[in-house]
Amino acid sequence: MNKITLFIASVLLILGLNHCEKKQVSENYTPPKPTNLSGEELAKSYCGSCHQFPSPDLLDKKTWEYGVLPKMALRLGMGDLMQHLTSMDYEEMMTLSMANIFPDKPVLAQEDWQKIIGYYLKNAPENPLPQAKKQSPHIGLKGFVQKTIWSPNVPLVTLVKFRPEQQLLYVGLRRDNRIDVYNTSQKRVDSLAIKSPVSDVFFGKDNSLQLLTMGIMDPNDQKKGQLMQVNSTKQQQLVLDSLRRPVQMTLADLNQDGKEDKLICHFGNELGKLTWYEAGSNTAHILKEMPGARVAIVQDMNGDKLPDIVVLMTQARESVVVFMNKGKGVFDEQELLSFPPVYGSSYLQLVDFNKDGFLDLLYTNGDNADLSISLKRYHGVRIFLNNQHNQFKEAYFYPMYGASKAMAADFDMDGDMDIAAISFFIDPKQKPNEGFLYFENKGNLTFAPSTFKEAASGSWMVMDVADMDADGDQDIVLGSFMLNRRNDATGKSKQKMPAAIILENKRGHFTGMR
């Protein structure tokens, strides 16, 4: 028996076992009967039951027909589950088969499913709708000096993070599975080998590191991620294993025992979760068992002096959720915002933009590495203002194709919050290049966008902001991941490419702050 035959036999066996487990239910199964509902009514009923209802104009006809609707069919027990399972890794196939996330029987009549398909294909535009009119970015960044870290290979940077107290920059590289360390002169002063691409790093006071690694970076549900402790002599110790594609970690005392717990976003793909681990024992507490946890921020949101958790969920049920801390590790989940499942939510930061003492939401959406790769007019940078009761309303939007991250700081030191933003999925025809945009705050949520011409030299997937050179202002670093060259066998490039660009803020020098 060859490997392919064995693989298919395994799938059949698993599906058969699942069928046996559901035998009692299946014996009582009655095929759904067609309804008198319209395609729109059916779409709102079935699509809206799992996530916010997506209107047809969010995507073009081709993307609906060949990208999104076939995947939706699987969720309704209508698609070719066998083909879907046999297209993935054996471990994933086993995991997803046993997870029972895809119905083994249709949940609606074939006639009704065809109505849903017809509704989307009839009402979707032939081509993606254009962006709204906006202020074009100015070319030139006042107050910043550009410094480049060049790569001898095609850059595949998965992390950039400043270590301000040591004036160092950490750059995580996927191809070679290592972290390089640079000083303020862009000279590499150290390097650390790791097992898989790094997604987050924390710096200890004893010169130690905590490294969160993804296992496999591309979409998957394999539990190959790890959390490693690295001491000052580079010895690595495993802290947590079998993590499902972890992308971010936060450290905080969540249960008021005086110890720092770990809060980890297991992004996954079809499966995932948001989990916190008790300090010392690493006992796991699942807050949300759903894929797509991208950013978790620990912050007291209601003034009771307990650390709450604000989370951006970015898969299927895209939303901003808060877990209100009730004390001793007990949390109450509340949804703050929800978005359509094709929005591509990508990053979140808590910032008080209007200086009322309450934290607002700085949000980006632009993740395009899914079933609906296209230019989306609703991608961009948004600010949701807090009405002082943790209810949020959109107050600012700047369209930005593929927006992947935005970070706020008072970069120009004039007393208000500016924004730095990157895009990983730009429109290459758009001029100027919008891979990086700097938004200078002009007051009353009015921003002037600008960029620099060298922004076109990289594909910016990661970014960090901090005062790297200890001069009193906030610097910016961008990390490039050349997606179209990621599978290049040699990794060699015929032209010079930046792995990272540091935008060194010189305003601290101008004011004499050292």
Side-chain angles (χ1 to χ4, degrees):
M1 183 180 290
N2 60 38
K3 290 183 178 180
I4 296 177
T5 303
L6 180 61
F7 184 80
I8 294 174
S10 300
V11 177
L12 291 171
L13 176 60
I14 292 169
L15 293 176
L17 290 173
N18 285 348
H19 176 75
C20 292
E21 291 174 1
K22 300 175 184 177
K23 184 176 180 181
Q24 185 174 359
V25 175
S26 298
E27 288 175 349
N28 300 323
Y29 172 77
T30 301
K33 295 181 179 180
T35 69
N36 293 322
L37 297 176
S38 67
E40 181 177 6
E41 291 171 326
L42 288 164
K44 288 181 176 178
S45 175
Y46 285 96
C47 304
S49 65
C50 295
H51 46 67
Q52 189 180 118
F53 166 71
S55 62
D57 66 351
L58 291 175
L59 300 170
D60 59 274
K61 281 185 172 62
K62 183 177 179 181
T63 302
W64 278 118
E65 185 172 8
Y66 298 105
V68 176
L69 290 173
K71 184 63 178 291
M72 182 181 171
L74 293 174
R75 295 286 180 173
L76 296 175
M78 306 294 294
D80 189 341
L81 182 57
M82 171 67 75
Q83 183 182 30
H84 180 65
L85 290 174
T86 53
S87 68
M88 61 184 62
D89 176 270
Y90 178 77
E91 179 184 333
E92 283 184 275
M93 177 268 293
M94 295 280 287
T95 301
L96 290 179
S97 297
M98 300 306 293
N100 296 325
I101 63 175
F102 300 112
D104 63 347
K105 300 286 185 182
V107 301
L108 79 168
Q110 180 66 36
E111 293 89 336
D112 283 347
W113 172 234
Q114 291 302 317
K115 287 182 187 178
I116 292 176
I117 294 175
Y119 166 68
Y120 278 102
L121 298 187
K122 179 181 177 181
N123 293 284
E126 290 293 336
N127 299 301
L129 298 180
Q131 280 183 340
K133 289 184 179 180
K134 63 180 185 178
Q135 182 180 353
S136 182
H138 168 74
I139 299 178
L141 296 179
K142 182 181 177 182
F144 291 95
V145 173
Q146 176 189 329
K147 297 184 175 180
T148 303
I149 295 175
W150 297 102
S151 174
N153 302 323
V154 175
L156 299 177
V157 177
T158 65
L159 173 137
V160 287
K161 194 161 187 177
F162 286 126
R163 191 173 190 175
E165 73 278 6
Q166 295 189 4
Q167 297 189 27
L168 296 173
L169 169 65
Y170 284 65
V171 178
L173 302 168
R174 165 172 161 163
R175 187 182 304 281
D176 302 315
N177 282 338
R178 72 171 196 269
I179 298 176
D180 288 342
V181 185
Y182 295 86
N183 61 18
T184 54
S185 300
Q186 297 79 58
K187 179 182 178 181
R188 191 173 72 174
V189 294
D190 203 356
S191 189
L192 175 67
I194 51 180
K195 291 184 178 180
S196 69
V198 62
S199 57
D200 211 347
V201 58
F202 279 82
F203 307 117
K205 295 179 180 179
D206 56 355
N207 209 32
S208 65
L209 302 174
Q210 290 191 67
L211 299 178
L212 190 66
T213 59
M214 290 178 272
I216 299 174
M217 181 178 173
D218 296 337
N220 75 98
D221 284 303
Q222 297 183 52
K223 298 169 71 172
K224 294 188 175 182
Q226 296 180 326
L227 176 63
M228 304 294 295
Q229 180 81 21
V230 184
N231 65 20
S232 57
T233 62
K234 297 186 181 181
Q235 292 180 314
Q236 300 186 26
Q237 180 181 356
L238 181 64
V239 179
L240 292 171
D241 199 7
S242 301
L243 308 181
R244 184 169 276 129
R245 203 182 174 203
V247 295
Q248 191 245 2
M249 181 173 75
T250 302
L251 303 178
D253 180 7
L254 297 174
N255 56 354
Q256 298 79 62
D257 65 353
K259 301 175 183 178
E260 203 169 51
D261 308 303
K262 305 173 186 68
L263 175 64
I264 297 181
C265 293
H266 300 244
F267 193 98
N269 186 32
E270 301 284 3
L271 305 171
K273 59 186 177 180
L274 176 70
T275 308
W276 70 275
Y277 301 83
E278 290 185 37
S281 66
N282 284 328
T283 300
H285 300 270
I286 298 175
L287 291 170
K288 194 172 185 67
E289 197 151 16
M290 185 178 289
R294 174 63 185 90
V295 182
I297 306 165
V298 177
Q299 177 70 46
D300 180 7
M301 295 297 291
N302 57 3
D304 63 359
K305 298 183 179 180
L306 292 174
D308 307 307
I309 302 170
V310 180
V311 184
L312 177 65
M313 302 297 299
T314 65
Q315 291 280 84
R317 196 175 187 90
E318 297 191 27
S319 58
V320 177
V321 177
V322 62
F323 291 87
M324 289 297 187
N325 198 327
K326 300 301 180 182
K328 305 300 181 181
V330 177
F331 293 87
D332 178 34
E333 179 181 351
Q334 301 172 25
E335 187 174 85
L336 301 178
L337 294 170
S338 64
F339 310 101
V342 297
Y343 240 48
S345 299
S346 53
Y347 204 74
L348 184 74
Q349 192 176 28
L350 300 179
V351 185
D352 184 4
F353 278 101
N354 56 3
K355 302 179 184 179
D356 65 352
F358 292 84
L359 292 169
D360 309 306
L361 303 179
L362 174 60
Y363 162 91
T364 58
N365 65 307
D367 184 1
N368 231 351
D370 55 18
L371 302 170
S372 58
I373 298 176
S374 64
L375 296 175
K376 300 181 174 70
R377 70 189 189 283
Y378 43 86
H379 279 177
V381 178
R382 287 177 167 82
I383 295 172
F384 295 89
L385 289 183
N386 191 335
N387 71 350
Q388 303 186 6
H389 299 285
N390 288 329
Q391 295 172 333
F392 297 86
K393 184 177 181 180
E394 184 178 311
Y396 177 79
F397 170 54
Y398 186 90
M400 184 181 184
Y401 290 129
S404 52
K405 188 172 186 178
M407 301 182 74
D410 185 6
F411 292 107
D412 56 7
M413 303 178 71
D414 65 353
D416 54 27
M417 301 301 282
D418 311 298
I419 300 171
I422 55 174
S423 167
F424 188 58
F425 295 98
I426 64 168
D427 176 2
K429 297 178 181 178
Q430 199 166 32
K431 304 297 180 185
N433 182 283
E434 294 189 5
F436 170 83
L437 291 179
Y438 169 69
F439 298 87
E440 181 183 351
N441 195 333
K442 296 295 186 178
N444 298 318
L445 293 183
T446 300
F447 296 85
S450 59
T451 187
F452 61 107
K453 68 177 184 179
E454 291 82 6
S457 65
S459 183
W460 312 115
M461 189 172 72
V462 288
M463 173 176 64
D464 194 27
V465 169
D467 183 6
M468 181 183 180
D469 49 7
D471 66 349
D473 54 27
Q474 298 295 299
D475 307 301
I476 304 169
V477 61
L478 316 175
S480 179
F481 190 99
M482 303 303 289
L483 180 67
N484 61 330
R485 299 284 299 278
R486 62 178 174 170
N487 295 321
D488 190 313
T490 65
K492 299 299 180 183
S493 174
K494 294 181 180 179
Q495 64 184 62
K496 248 179 143 181
M497 293 184 175
I501 289 181
I502 299 169
L503 299 173
E504 184 179 334
N505 197 339
K506 290 298 184 180
R507 293 174 178 85
H509 292 280
F510 301 152
T511 59
M513 298 180 68
R514 293 297 294 175

